[in-house]
Amino acid sequence: MRPRVQPKDPSPETQAKMQERAQRLTKRQYVRFAFYKVDPMWRRLPAEEQAAHKQELLDVIESFNRRMLLRPYSLIGTRADAELLLWQIAESPLPFRELASAIACTRMGSYLNMAHSYLSQTKRSIYEIRTAGAADEDEEERLVIDPTEAKYLFVYPFIKTREWYQLSQYARQGMMDEHIDVGRKYPSVRLNTTYSFGIDDYEFIVAFETDEPSDFLDLVQELRETSVSMYTLQDTPLFTCINMRLDEALDALGGPAIAKVLEPGAQDEIWMEVCPLDELGPGETKTVFLEGKMVGLFNVNGELFAINNRCTHARGPLTEGEVSAEACSVVCPWHYGKFDLRTGAAIDGVVNKPVDTYQVEVRDGLIYVGTTITYS
Ligand code: FES
């Protein structure tokens, strides 16, 4: 075992800064990891029934795309007790219940067993995440889940020993520093930490995104050697999940294929109805989920604009920023990076990457937001 790291005593300035950030960053997201397994009886149904069941389930799940950020993953071939994961992120837990009920009401729903279910929230860490040379925005990013297109997701629930919580904050911070330093050695692995104290059986649900499973394996093995590892009570079951489109993930369950056959490079236009035009007046903003991204809609003097709602600096919520009608721009509320609402260009402050823009149309008094996706 490595020697314990000496605890650090945060300076008064650091403590004041942490408190200020704690007040500013209060909005949390709810997160659900719903793992399903198909009853083997379903695989004995006639092929046409299986196809109809999958199509119905696909339509029901996709109808929730507007209300939550929903990512499907397949576990066929990686795990015995679960075959499909629906990773759900929303501003409230209510859409999770509605989606679960809607799935249960489908014909395929009666053949779907809930293998595992985890409920959690994003939350600002009580530890100072920053290490020498690292950006202090990392901590703030943790308040917002913004899944990448990484091919693999590794998910597990986590409980620490009660002895851990009896240690002083400074002692824990010292050990966390060592843990964080190991994590930074594996930049290809992106961590999403969520908290489930009091709302589910565990303390944390962690989800690691990467294209390189070997890097994740090496990271986990190296973390076993850190001091903080001595205080782990439970970190299983561990799920290896493969990112794919929902129609492909349903086809992986069995039965005739319903997934669209798409050549690499093929493009599709996706449009989503948002709301009646009179529900988004001049000066108002709204968010909507489209193709796994949170899109911010802005009405600037009657003209509508749509951009990715996550600031490219540290995922700040742009619809909560200050809009300038004259400059047609928005200033991120977290560190004041400024974006052009027409082009998404980063035009001032700490930001240097543009945000994606989306198409907006009004049809018969209803606002639609759209995007073109290219299949790989
Ligand atoms: S999150 Fe830092 S400027 Fe937006």
Side-chain angles (χ1 to χ4, degrees):
M1 192 178 86
R2 292 183 181 181
R4 295 267 166 90
V5 179
Q6 282 303 306
K8 283 183 193 167
D9 191 0
S11 67
E13 293 75 30
T14 302
Q15 288 187 38
K17 193 175 167 198
M18 288 170 74
Q19 273 175 5
E20 187 270 326
R21 278 160 107 196
Q23 283 167 357
R24 186 159 46 96
L25 304 170
T26 50
K27 267 207 168 169
R28 301 179 187 177
Q29 294 179 310
Y30 286 86
V31 184
R32 184 169 191 239
F33 298 89
F35 292 91
Y36 293 94
K37 184 167 173 67
V38 174
D39 188 319
M41 288 297 292
W42 179 80
R43 296 198 168 97
R44 294 177 203 142
L45 295 176
E48 59 276 15
E49 268 188 62
Q50 291 175 326
H53 287 188
K54 287 196 291 185
Q55 190 60 53
E56 180 192 27
L57 183 62
L58 176 75
D59 294 342
V60 164
I61 296 173
E62 288 191 336
S63 72
F64 279 79
N65 271 335
R66 187 169 52 164
R67 304 188 49 204
M68 64 171 79
L69 205 160
L70 214 163
R71 282 293 180 100
Y73 293 82
S74 177
L75 291 92
I76 292 277
T78 65
R79 181 91 196 169
D81 59 352
E83 297 174 330
L84 174 71
L85 162 65
L86 297 178
W87 186 15
Q88 303 157 47
I89 300 147
E91 306 302 309
S92 123
L94 297 181
F96 303 157
R97 184 200 62 72
E98 290 163 24
L99 174 61
S101 296
I103 289 174
C105 290
T106 63
R107 285 168 290 172
M108 190 158 177
S110 58
Y111 293 96
L112 282 178
N113 295 316
M114 176 65 72
H116 300 273
S117 168
Y118 303 111
L119 179 66
S120 54
Q121 268 196 330
T122 58
K123 185 175 184 289
R124 177 181 170 275
S125 174
I126 63 168
Y127 304 108
E128 197 175 359
I129 303 298
R130 185 166 46 161
T131 54
D136 66 356
E137 288 77 27
D138 285 9
E139 182 183 351
E140 293 168 6
E141 288 191 13
R142 289 162 190 257
L143 281 168
V144 177
I145 305 280
D146 189 16
T148 66
E149 297 305 323
K151 191 68 191 160
Y152 299 95
L153 181 75
F154 297 90
V155 180
Y156 58 88
F158 191 75
I159 304 178
K160 287 187 179 292
T161 64
R162 292 295 162 97
E163 287 77 21
W164 169 256
Y165 296 102
Q166 298 308 310
L167 298 174
S168 73
Q169 174 73 12
Y170 299 138
R172 286 186 271 159
Q173 180 68 57
M175 283 187 268
M176 286 304 292
D177 286 348
E178 180 194 19
H179 180 88
I180 292 161
D181 283 344
V182 172
R184 290 199 191 284
K185 287 165 65 178
Y186 296 88
S188 63
V189 181
R190 187 186 201 229
L191 169 61
N192 299 286
T193 301
T194 59
Y195 297 69
S196 52
F197 291 87
I199 59 172
D200 207 338
D201 292 349
Y202 302 90
E203 294 177 350
F204 307 90
I205 311 296
V206 288
F208 294 81
E209 296 172 83
T210 186
D211 286 321
E212 298 293 341
S214 308
D215 287 355
F216 180 66
L217 184 153
D218 293 345
L219 167 64
V220 173
Q221 187 176 9
E222 195 166 339
L223 286 173
R224 289 289 193 277
E225 298 172 14
T226 59
S227 309
V228 71
S229 178
M230 297 291 290
Y231 295 93
T232 297
L233 182 67
Q234 184 184 339
D235 55 2
T236 55
L238 200 156
F239 303 92
T240 297
C241 316
I242 302 170
N243 183 3
M244 54 178 66
R245 298 197 327 258
L246 180 58
D247 55 1
E248 293 174 327
L250 294 182
D251 280 349
L253 297 174
I258 62 161
K260 284 189 206 166
V261 179
L262 297 161
E263 295 299 323
Q267 293 192 322
D268 228 353
E269 258 195 22
I270 310 284
W271 285 92
M272 178 167 295
E273 181 187 318
V274 178
C275 64
L277 180 58
D278 57 15
E279 285 184 15
L280 186 68
E284 291 184 326
T285 62
K286 203 174 196 56
T287 57
V288 66
F289 295 102
L290 178 68
E291 287 301 299
K293 295 289 171 193
M294 185 185 259
V295 175
L297 277 153
F298 299 76
N299 183 331
V300 182
N301 287 342
E303 209 175 337
L304 300 176
F305 300 95
I307 60 174
N308 189 316
N309 197 45
R310 295 302 172 203
C311 175
T312 51
H313 181 233
R315 306 183 207 165
L318 295 177
T319 43
E320 292 170 31
E322 198 175 311
V323 174
S324 162
E326 293 71 38
C328 200
S329 63
V330 62
V331 174
C332 176
W334 283 8
H335 315 101
Y336 315 114
K338 194 176 194 178
F339 295 94
D340 188 311
L341 288 170
R342 294 160 294 207
T343 63
I347 50 178
D348 201 6
V350 292
V351 290
N352 52 27
K353 272 193 285 185
V355 285
D356 289 335
T357 57
Y358 295 83
Q359 299 156 264
V360 195
E361 284 183 7
V362 179
R363 304 175 197 160
D364 299 327
L366 295 172
I367 300 174
Y368 287 80
V369 62
T371 189
T372 302
I373 51 174
T374 304
Y375 298 100
S376 53

